[in-house]
Amino acid sequence: MMFENKHIVVGISGGIAAFKAAGLVSQLRQKGAEVHCIMTANAAKLVTPITFGELSGNDVTVDMFANISKWDVEHIALAKLADLFVVAPATADIIGKVANGIADDMLSTTIMATKAKVLFVPSMNTNMYENPIVQANMEKLRSFGYEFVEPESGHLACNTSGKGRFPALTTIMDCAEKCIYGRELLKGKKIIVSAGGTQEKIDPVRFISNRSSGRQGYAIAKAAWMEGADVTLVSCTTALPTPYGVKMVYVQDARELEKAMNAEYDSCDAAIMAAAVSDYRPTVQADQKIKKEDFDSLHIDLTQNPDILYGLGQKKRGQFLVGFAAETQDVIEHGKSKLKRKNLDMLVANDVAMPGAGFNGTTNIASLLYKDGHMEQYPKMSKDELGHIIIEKMAELMK
Ligand code: PMT
């Protein structure tokens, strides 16, 4: 489990989104974390501490001077225990207090006393969020190494619309994971990743595509972001949510994908082609929907698409280039030949005929082949895990 054996202290300050922190506590616990909650007195007026006690399975601390049974000096004990401190929602008030060294209640005191990473999840009215004082306080905290999750834009409790919404739980979970496990292996590096299957248009309503879900490419992009890279994800159409912290470029067909990859390639340090590119496209793309009344049988003539990865290999100027091979037979042999022909530094070979590997599912089975001829074979694992391995191996070779 993601947060197994990790102690996460969740600080809840008095914003209207305090009720959303209940979902966060529940998620963290479901992912294996031992969660302790500290609430400000105002947060405890909005949501009862009993809710957080039930969800975390631990006593909730509000009052600094309450009768404490478990801890000697509680703010110090929780501060020491924490592997991560998440402040959600973080009001302008708690941000301002910490930025200015004020420690006047249990939450602010514990934050000041911890050496763990602190992740603030600001959530407030747009004007408050954009107030230069709040912005300056956040800037100051960032300069001291405090982390922030960017709020979302949308409808706010004050019946206005703008930036300040409590982010999606998946976003906060991803940021928490980055705070705990990220090692900044790719700090300062620009990485482009492609994902998903291209759609080659037949007419305005039909296309040729494949079974790629985009999961493997998205997992690699997330792993690179977690390691501090500046990531661009060139994504074909997928059903996946937009990942946090990554620049998105959406494309539909192979020629758009080629254009997008080329646009980013010269300035990148590494490119990873996980997209499943259609080798062919219809030679003619009908402007109007093809009617069955017009044809008894229909033949679609196909033209070969550019080999995007081959093109990137040809114009390589120091970039680390990673390709995939989706094969159904002689996987390693075909992989080796693609690695060489496309001038790659690393190739991820997956036998897409094996159960639990390749297209669409949440797991993959892969071998990593390297330019120097050596090879590593991995058992079935989640696409997330494989994404981390690919990024770790790549970062090691890019040093
Ligand atoms: O998206 P998921 O559902 O998670 O599935 C993951 C995956 C199976 C799509 C992924 O693991 C994978 O194997 N991606 C590569 C699929 C593919 O196109 O393989 P290929 O062997 O046909 O191509 C070899 C390499 O050349 C690939 O890196 C491909 O992106 C690239 N290519 C292929 C054809 C083409 N015209 N241009 C290319 O750049």
Side-chain angles (χ1 to χ4, degrees):
M1 272 198 290
M2 190 193 292
F3 295 123
E4 189 110 49
N5 298 324
K6 298 293 176 197
H7 293 269
I8 301 181
V9 178
V10 179
I12 302 124
S13 62
I16 196 66
F19 75 96
K20 294 189 180 174
L24 176 65
V25 170
S26 166
Q27 282 272 313
L28 290 169
R29 200 164 168 216
Q30 283 173 49
K31 299 281 180 193
E34 181 70 31
V35 184
H36 296 271
C37 297
I38 304 176
M39 301 178 80
T40 62
N42 284 339
K45 285 180 197 156
L46 293 162
V47 184
T48 160
I50 296 168
T51 305
F52 289 98
E54 282 295 322
L55 291 170
S56 67
N58 283 308
D59 290 344
V60 177
T61 318
V62 184
D63 184 351
M64 188 130 175
F65 301 104
N67 200 6
I68 294 157
S69 54
K70 265 191 191 158
W71 309 98
D72 294 339
V73 185
E74 188 150 6
H75 67 282
I76 301 298
L78 284 180
K80 263 194 190 163
L81 186 73
D83 293 297
L84 175 67
F85 209 117
V86 184
V87 187
T91 56
D93 182 67
I94 190 72
I95 291 168
K97 274 185 188 167
V98 182
N100 292 286
I102 298 168
D104 66 350
D105 63 3
M106 183 56 104
L107 181 56
S108 53
T109 311
T110 317
I111 297 172
M112 300 300 283
T114 192
K115 290 212 157 152
K117 255 204 177 141
V118 180
L119 177 65
F120 286 99
V121 186
S123 173
M124 64 196 82
N125 158 275
T126 308
N127 292 345
M128 251 173 126
Y129 182 71
E130 287 173 353
N131 186 313
I133 302 171
V134 175
Q135 289 293 322
N137 283 338
M138 292 198 294
E139 211 33 62
K140 185 172 172 187
L141 288 171
R142 276 195 195 97
S143 75
F144 286 123
Y146 290 87
E147 303 279 345
F148 285 83
V149 184
E150 188 93 8
E152 286 181 4
S153 294
H155 180 78
L156 298 170
C158 49
N159 221 6
T160 55
S161 190
K163 199 167 181 175
R165 264 170 73 96
F166 194 79
L169 290 186
T170 49
T171 300
I172 306 173
M173 295 294 282
D174 286 351
C175 292
E177 199 184 342
K178 183 181 185 209
C179 284
I180 291 182
Y181 299 107
R183 290 157 295 169
E184 305 209 314
L185 297 177
L186 290 175
K187 194 171 167 60
K189 303 283 186 208
K190 179 178 168 179
I191 314 288
I192 339 168
V193 184
S194 71
T198 61
Q199 296 182 345
E200 310 296 332
K201 185 177 154 191
I202 298 170
D203 71 10
V205 297
R206 303 178 179 98
F207 53 80
I208 297 171
S209 191
N210 55 66
R211 292 171 44 238
S212 169
S213 63
R215 280 197 188 100
Q216 187 61 78
Y218 274 54
I220 294 168
K222 180 183 160 189
W225 165 75
M226 275 184 62
E227 291 304 345
D230 168 5
V231 183
T232 300
L233 176 56
V234 182
S235 174
C236 303
T237 308
T238 74
L240 301 174
T242 308
Y244 178 80
V246 161
K247 177 183 158 194
M248 295 298 294
V249 179
Y250 289 102
V251 296
Q252 206 154 15
D253 62 25
R255 286 177 296 175
E256 279 179 27
L257 176 55
E258 182 183 40
K259 216 167 138 190
M261 292 302 289
N262 284 339
E264 303 280 343
Y265 190 59
D266 285 346
S267 61
C268 83
D269 298 289
I272 305 168
M273 279 292 290
V277 187
S278 214
D279 286 324
Y280 296 93
R281 67 174 180 275
T283 307
V284 176
Q285 302 176 347
D287 288 335
Q288 304 299 330
K289 184 180 171 194
I290 298 169
K291 295 282 191 194
K292 67 174 180 292
E293 293 80 12
D294 295 342
F295 304 95
D296 281 339
S297 67
L298 182 64
H299 298 274
I300 299 173
D301 188 55
L302 300 175
T303 299
Q304 213 172 91
N305 266 329
D307 188 323
I308 304 165
L309 185 58
Y310 177 84
L312 299 178
Q314 291 304 297
K315 55 182 192 155
K316 196 154 87 172
R317 296 273 177 279
Q319 292 94 335
F320 193 92
L321 190 56
V322 183
F324 271 71
E327 304 292 346
T328 52
Q329 55 183 350
D330 304 326
V331 181
I332 302 299
E333 283 323 301
H334 288 308
K336 279 183 182 163
S337 127
K338 281 182 181 169
L339 176 82
K340 197 158 177 221
R341 186 160 45 85
K342 302 196 185 194
N343 192 22
L344 309 179
D345 298 285
M346 187 171 138
L347 180 129
V348 185
N350 40 197
D351 183 343
V352 293
M354 277 174 91
F359 293 96
N360 218 344
T362 55
T363 59
N364 208 348
I365 305 168
S367 299
L368 301 192
L369 314 184
Y370 297 89
K371 199 173 156 181
D372 66 4
H374 88 280
M375 183 182 108
E376 290 154 2
Q377 282 182 302
Y378 291 93
K380 183 160 110 178
M381 60 179 72
S382 73
K383 285 180 176 172
D384 280 340
E385 283 176 279
L386 183 61
H388 285 292
I389 292 174
I390 294 166
I391 288 302
E392 195 177 288
K393 298 288 174 184
M394 190 182 91
E396 183 62 31
L397 291 167
M398 284 170 72
K399 269 186 193 160

